[in-house]
Amino acid sequence: MFYRNESLTGKKVNKNKLVVPDLSQLQTGFTLGGALKKDKLFYFVSFETEQRRDAASSYIAQNSGNTGKTNTSRVLESDLQAVSSILKTRFNYDTGPYQGFTHDQTNYKWLAKLDWNISNVHKLSFTYNGLDAKKDKPAHPSAIRRRGPDFVTQQFQNSGYEIVNKLHSFGTELKSNFGGNAANKLRVVYTTFRDKRNPFSAPFPVLNITKNSVPYIIAGHEPFSINNRLDQDAFQVTNDFNLYKKNHSFTFGASFESFKFGNSFNLTGYAATLFSDADIQTFKDSVPVGGAYVFGAYPLDIDVATAKAAAAANQWTWYYLTVGQFSLYAQDEWQINDRFRLTYGVRMDKPVYFKDKFEFVPAGGTASSPTLPNNDPLVLFDKDGKPVTNGVGKDLDNTRLPTKTPLFSPRVGFNWDVMGNKTIQIRGGSGLFTGRFPFVRF
């Protein structure tokens, strides 16, 4: 078990006293294992957790009693109070406090495993591990200009969000040893990931309030957390066969992976005010009376109504994709002599698409392709200088997924024990390496 709080944090640097924010952190867990049947069946379980609470910010709003202190923001407490009061009076919107609150973090991790010695040849294991985690976060500090919280910019509690991660993974592995000259390992794993954000705010536009043309106060909903969901299901089968012949260790393997994604991201789901900003004085003058505020063109009331209508409809944009990858590989680890070992091999990866295109489901709409065709008359050339056509059905077609051409990855490496006593070793290698496409990007 491990525990600490703010009293265990240093308070001075070069005799300068610092303001230490609130902190509470606890880490604990346990493990347990043993035999269910002697020399035959074994179990192991583990559990751990971390509970942490941090002050949301060490900076405080400026008032007549704290001007000049090291942790005093340029943001006036009177302005924060005015913004909160105006939004409450006109829209019945609760900003939450602007200081004196904490961000909490909780996670639970667990593992359960069974090992079964079926015979002298075969051993089977079953594994289940999981994660249940959540963490409070402020509004993104740098996306869409600076957003704090810091000396320059302050934000309200309800402009933040809670991020939630849940994982469940089930695996089985069969190991076989055939007389010491050959061995095989078969592994099957199924994993589910569920990630989402729980905003602290009720449905409401994003407000970027400036002072002297610099972000000053952040209020309203966190723009990246409007029905932000990512669902992933992964299935993997891998088989490795090892053959041992004199000074050679051969490995032959095959693998298949499939990935199913569902992603919902709705940046402008509560209207486009996140791209607008206005001075604090403009906010005070315009918002209470329904004056022009958003882009200086129309009242905030319009976007407030838009946000409430979108939340009531509860229809959001989703992207769906199911893909896979099939792989074959072979390798030889050749112990040429007592001092020199050469390893060489080749791998082939082939992408698998279960549908020809990504599936895009707009809010309240029907499934379609998410990509707008690019038919611009571009002048393009390939690596050999030959012209390449651009557009739907041509050489470059941005509505198509990449080709299913197999990717071959040869590689070689060595280990040289120069003196024969492991005091000086030289290692090196080279090869081609490929990876999966980033199917979901944030």
Side-chain angles (χ1 to χ4, degrees), residues 185-311:
K185 181 168 71 173
L186 172 65
R187 183 170 176 80
V188 181
V189 180
Y190 176 71
T191 305
T192 66
F193 307 85
R194 298 293 181 265
D195 299 334
K196 67 176 183 177
R197 294 186 179 194
N198 295 326
F200 299 145
S201 174
F204 202 81
V206 180
L207 297 181
N208 302 309
I209 302 170
T210 64
K211 187 173 184 178
N212 299 325
S213 301
V214 177
Y216 184 59
I217 295 175
I218 304 301
H221 203 283
E222 209 286 323
F224 301 95
S225 303
I226 303 172
N227 199 68
N228 189 330
R229 303 285 189 273
L230 175 59
D231 298 340
Q232 303 177 71
D233 296 315
F235 176 71
Q236 299 169 296
V237 181
T238 302
N239 191 85
D240 291 331
F241 178 74
N242 297 101
L243 185 64
Y244 308 104
K245 294 290 185 180
K246 294 184 179 179
N247 54 347
H248 291 272
S249 296
F250 298 100
T251 299
F252 305 96
S255 174
F256 174 75
E257 304 171 295
S258 71
F259 305 91
K260 182 179 180 181
F261 301 95
N263 185 216
S264 182
F265 183 68
N266 304 270
L267 184 62
T268 58
Y270 290 159
T273 51
L274 74 158
F275 300 116
S276 169
D277 58 51
D279 186 79
I280 179 64
Q281 195 58 50
T282 302
F283 178 91
K284 292 178 180 179
D285 294 341
S286 301
V287 174
V289 297
Y293 176 78
V294 182
F295 299 108
Y298 61 88
L300 179 60
D301 305 58
I302 294 176
D303 282 355
V304 171
T306 298
K308 290 182 178 179

Side-chain angles (χ1 to χ4, degrees), residues 363-420:
T366 56
S368 64
S369 170
T371 306
L372 296 175
N374 183 345
N375 292 305
D376 295 342
L378 303 176
V379 179
L380 304 170
F381 301 90
D382 66 11
K383 60 183 178 62
D384 298 319
K386 297 179 181 179
V388 175
T389 58
N390 175 70
V392 176
K394 298 182 180 180
D395 296 332
L396 289 181
D397 181 352
N398 72 320
T399 66
R400 291 189 312 222
L401 288 168
T403 65
K404 299 179 182 179
T405 304
L407 302 175
F408 289 91
S409 306
R411 58 202 62 177
V412 62
F414 68 91
N415 187 315
W416 178 26
D417 182 1
V418 179
M419 307 301 295

Side-chain angles (χ1 to χ4, degrees), residues 81-156:
Q81 292 170 344
V83 169
S84 185
S85 176
I86 290 170
L87 295 178
K88 183 67 174 179
T89 300
R90 186 161 186 86
F91 305 110
N92 195 31
Y93 175 73
D94 183 9
T95 63
Y98 50 83
Q99 63 191 33
F101 60 93
T102 60
H103 282 160
D104 298 344
Q105 175 182 341
T106 303
N107 68 65
Y108 303 97
K109 303 171 187 174
W110 58 88
L111 169 70
K113 186 177 182 182
L114 284 175
D115 289 293
W116 179 20
N117 293 332
I118 301 173
S119 66
N120 291 333
V121 175
H122 303 293
K123 296 182 179 180
L124 185 65
S125 67
F126 301 92
T127 304
Y128 164 56
N129 62 75
L131 168 70
D132 188 345
K134 57 185 180 180
K135 183 177 183 180
D136 295 345
K137 302 276 285 183
H140 197 290
S142 58
I144 314 175
R145 303 179 69 183
R146 60 175 301 114
R147 300 171 68 79
D150 52 29
F151 171 78
V152 176
T153 311
Q154 292 285 6
Q155 54 179 254
F156 291 98

Side-chain angles (χ1 to χ4, degrees), residues 247 335-341 415-422 425:
N247 54 347
Q335 190 71 45
I336 297 177
N337 55 46
D338 292 341
R339 298 187 181 187
F340 196 88
R341 183 174 68 247
N415 187 315
W416 178 26
D417 182 1
V418 179
M419 307 301 295
N421 57 8
K422 294 183 170 51
Q425 297 196 61

